Amino acid sequence: FFFFFFFQAEDGIRDVERSRGLGDVYKRQVIRNAAKNMTKELKQRKIKNSIISFDEFSAEEVGKYLNTWLIENAEHTKKGGGDDAVDEFVVHIKEDLYSKLDEIQYWVELAKSVILSKNIVNQSPSLATPAWVEEQAQLLFGSAEKAKLSSIVGKELEEKNYGCIYAVGKGAVSPPRLVTIHYTGNASSSEITLALVGKGVTFDSGGLNLKPTNYIESMNLDKSGACSVLAAIHCINELKQPINVVGCLALAENIIGKECYKPSDVLTSYNGKTVEVVNTDAEGRLCLIDAITHVQRHYKPKIVVDIATLTGACGVALGLDTAGLFTNDEKLAETLLKCSSHVNERLWRLPILPEHVKAVKGSVADLRNSGTRYGGACSAAAFLKEFVEGETKWAHLDIAGPGMKSYSGSKLALGTGFGTQLMVDLAKSLMN
């Protein structure tokens, strides 16, 4: 049977009406809360088919409502352990929105990209190896008309001087790799506007600096950044955005094995700078620096944005709902913060100060891969900044807090897909 749900009859929707004039941020949150509450109500009543009527709402309000509902509907399925999702959801909109269906569809595609990211990141680590993640990328882009996929795998990384990511992953059964997706949405230009780089450590044991119990259990989620990049590029391709974008997945397993890298090793990065290993559990930044250099040297993008579950320190500083933003460009910071607010994926800007730069200077190499215990998120960002070349505009998003979420009653966290919508919205903003 169908459940008829009319906006005007529900308290949550009256709140949407009352929110007009109270500010965009407040209104967006009210819309999302209304969608979450409806999803919860349908679940509790075990209703599988629903019709909703939008009578007095803009295209963006309808889109954001559907965006939240789609994500929450999939979320309940994941949390509940059974299929409690709504099977059919019929939407009625007013006639004057027919010309704005593309705007509504944009928010639907954003929701689908978050669900895709979560489906990949939450796989078991024994299944979701670097090779498996590359296979998912091949399935998504193998027949794509405007996207080309390439990869550098295993010993080839060492031979081509990608010494840092190779070191991190060489102890694992599944070799490390850089997987690059080149999306050409604007064939009239050879310029790459944006490169997205994602940390993809498919399982992070900490290496020889082994993580303890209560920290290691959810380390299959340390590939969240790469999964969000993969899903974002897929969404940009589905939307046929007229922009040239590169996505690079830095994939490795940080595992103890007979070939694993060791504290006191000195590594040579693809950039040519040397790095002394003071902690094998500071592996994500080693993967990222070779990927950041790779996209700059081979694609010469105007902007590079990397995204990573990089430091627990950032989660301690900002909590579990806000990511840290570091950048060398004021205009890029402004654009990212605006996109962050638009898609409700919160960022907070953090500094890179001289003391953070000093903390990652090496004693027997150019750099060291970990600073002091203080300002860990900032010193990690300072380390990455050392590999930004020339006039490249760069931003680093540390999503260690909001990238994973623990549900009540469970010790295991799940990936959230955080950053996926933000990166798609950034690409859309740069088109303008």
Side-chain angles (χ1 to χ4, degrees), residues 26-278:
Y26 178 78
K27 184 168 66 176
R28 284 195 292 269
Q29 193 56 52
V30 169
I31 290 170
R32 290 188 171 95
N33 287 342
K36 288 180 180 181
N37 291 337
M38 191 195 73
T39 309
K40 182 179 179 181
E41 184 74 16
L42 294 177
K43 179 196 174 190
Q44 289 176 343
R45 299 189 187 196
K46 302 188 184 302
I47 292 165
K48 308 299 287 183
N49 306 90
S50 177
I51 298 174
I52 186 165
S53 176
F54 297 86
D55 288 339
E56 302 295 335
F57 294 84
S58 69
E60 182 166 298
E61 289 170 345
V62 173
K64 288 181 176 180
Y65 191 99
L66 294 177
N67 173 276
T68 301
W69 177 82
L70 285 165
I71 294 170
E72 289 293 311
N73 192 45
E75 185 90 352
H76 280 304
T77 304
K78 185 73 179 179
K79 285 168 62 179
D83 186 10
D84 56 12
V86 175
D87 292 333
E88 186 173 17
F89 191 68
V90 179
V91 175
H92 290 172
I93 59 174
K94 56 185 179 179
E95 191 172 338
D96 60 359
L97 292 186
Y98 291 176
S99 62
K100 299 181 179 179
L101 289 177
D102 285 349
E103 187 175 346
I104 296 173
Q105 187 62 32
Y106 176 71
W107 291 98
V108 171
E109 292 299 328
L110 285 181
K112 288 163 64 177
S113 71
V114 172
I115 294 166
L116 172 62
S117 176
K118 289 163 67 175
N119 285 342
I120 297 173
V121 75
N122 287 316
Q123 289 291 342
S124 161
S126 293
L127 169 67
T129 62
W132 182 87
V133 176
E134 182 181 2
E135 288 172 9
Q136 305 314 299
Q138 290 170 342
L139 289 171
L140 290 170
F141 293 100
S143 60
E145 181 181 338
K146 296 184 177 182
K148 180 181 178 182
L149 187 145
S150 60
S151 61
I152 308 172
V153 181
K155 281 286 185 180
E156 188 182 359
L157 287 169
E158 183 181 34
E159 293 164 2
K160 293 184 174 180
N161 300 316
Y162 296 85
C164 289
I165 187 173
Y166 177 71
V168 171
K170 67 179 182 176
V173 173
S174 181
R177 62 203 67 210
L178 281 176
V179 176
T180 306
I181 305 124
H182 182 186
Y183 168 77
T184 306
N186 181 10
S188 64
S189 172
S190 60
E191 184 178 77
I192 307 297
T193 302
L194 174 65
L196 302 172
V197 176
K199 173 187 171 183
V201 178
T202 57
F203 190 81
D204 180 18
S205 71
L208 290 172
N209 292 109
L210 185 66
K211 290 182 182 290
T213 300
N214 295 327
Y215 289 89
I216 199 171
E217 290 84 354
S218 298
M219 284 300 102
N220 63 310
L221 306 181
D222 217 15
K223 60 184 180 292
S224 293
C227 294
S228 291
V229 167
L230 178 59
I233 297 290
H234 182 257
C235 185
I236 291 168
N237 180 58
E238 290 293 297
L239 290 166
K240 298 181 171 57
Q241 303 279 45
I243 185 173
N244 298 331
V245 182
V246 168
C248 187
L249 318 180
L251 301 171
E253 278 186 300
N254 188 20
I255 296 292
I256 295 174
K258 63 181 181 180
E259 298 292 331
C260 69
Y261 79 131
K262 303 168 182 67
S264 298
D265 279 348
V266 174
L267 311 176
T268 302
S269 69
Y270 189 52
N271 169 286
K273 292 180 180 180
T274 56
V275 181
E276 60 185 272
V277 178
V278 298

Side-chain angles (χ1 to χ4, degrees), residues 154-409:
K155 281 286 185 180
E156 188 182 359
L157 287 169
E158 183 181 34
E159 293 164 2
K160 293 184 174 180
N161 300 316
Y162 296 85
C164 289
I165 187 173
Y166 177 71
V168 171
K170 67 179 182 176
V173 173
S174 181
R177 62 203 67 210
L178 281 176
V179 176
T180 306
I181 305 124
H182 182 186
Y183 168 77
T184 306
N186 181 10
S188 64
S189 172
S190 60
E191 184 178 77
I192 307 297
T193 302
L194 174 65
L196 302 172
V197 176
K199 173 187 171 183
V201 178
T202 57
F203 190 81
D204 180 18
S205 71
L208 290 172
N209 292 109
L210 185 66
K211 290 182 182 290
T213 300
N214 295 327
Y215 289 89
I216 199 171
E217 290 84 354
S218 298
M219 284 300 102
N220 63 310
L221 306 181
D222 217 15
K223 60 184 180 292
S224 293
C227 294
S228 291
V229 167
L230 178 59
I233 297 290
H234 182 257
C235 185
I236 291 168
N237 180 58
E238 290 293 297
L239 290 166
K240 298 181 171 57
Q241 303 279 45
I243 185 173
N244 298 331
V245 182
V246 168
C248 187
L249 318 180
L251 301 171
E253 278 186 300
N254 188 20
I255 296 292
I256 295 174
K258 63 181 181 180
E259 298 292 331
C260 69
Y261 79 131
K262 303 168 182 67
S264 298
D265 279 348
V266 174
L267 311 176
T268 302
S269 69
Y270 189 52
N271 169 286
K273 292 180 180 180
T274 56
V275 181
E276 60 185 272
V277 178
V278 298
N279 188 337
T280 61
D281 196 22
E283 83 301 327
R285 63 201 72 181
L286 296 175
C287 297
L288 286 172
I289 59 175
D290 278 352
I292 289 170
T293 304
H294 174 75
V295 297
Q296 290 176 104
R297 298 275 174 93
H298 293 275
Y299 298 97
K300 296 179 170 50
K302 293 170 66 177
I303 297 169
V304 175
V305 176
D306 74 76
I307 179 169
T309 47
L310 202 63
T311 67
C314 199
V316 171
L318 299 179
L320 300 180
D321 296 307
T322 305
L325 164 62
F326 302 84
T327 181
N328 65 355
D329 185 80
E330 293 300 319
K331 188 173 180 180
L332 179 57
E334 181 182 335
T335 303
L336 279 165
L337 289 167
K338 184 176 179 180
C339 292
S340 161
S341 177
H342 190 224
V343 300
N344 200 42
E345 292 185 330
R346 290 193 306 196
L347 300 178
W348 192 264
R349 193 170 179 187
L350 295 172
I352 299 174
L353 301 173
E355 56 265 36
H356 303 134
V357 176
K358 183 179 178 181
V360 293
K361 294 299 182 184
S363 56
V364 297
D366 296 320
L367 299 164
R368 51 188 283 159
N369 77 324
S370 184
T372 69
R373 61 177 294 192
Y374 302 106
C378 299
S379 61
F383 179 84
L384 296 178
K385 190 180 178 184
E386 291 287 330
F387 296 86
V388 179
E389 299 177 352
E391 299 299 315
T392 304
K393 297 176 182 179
W394 162 79
H396 162 57
L397 308 179
D398 191 333
I399 63 168
M404 54 186 76
K405 181 179 180 181
S406 294
Y407 295 112
S408 58

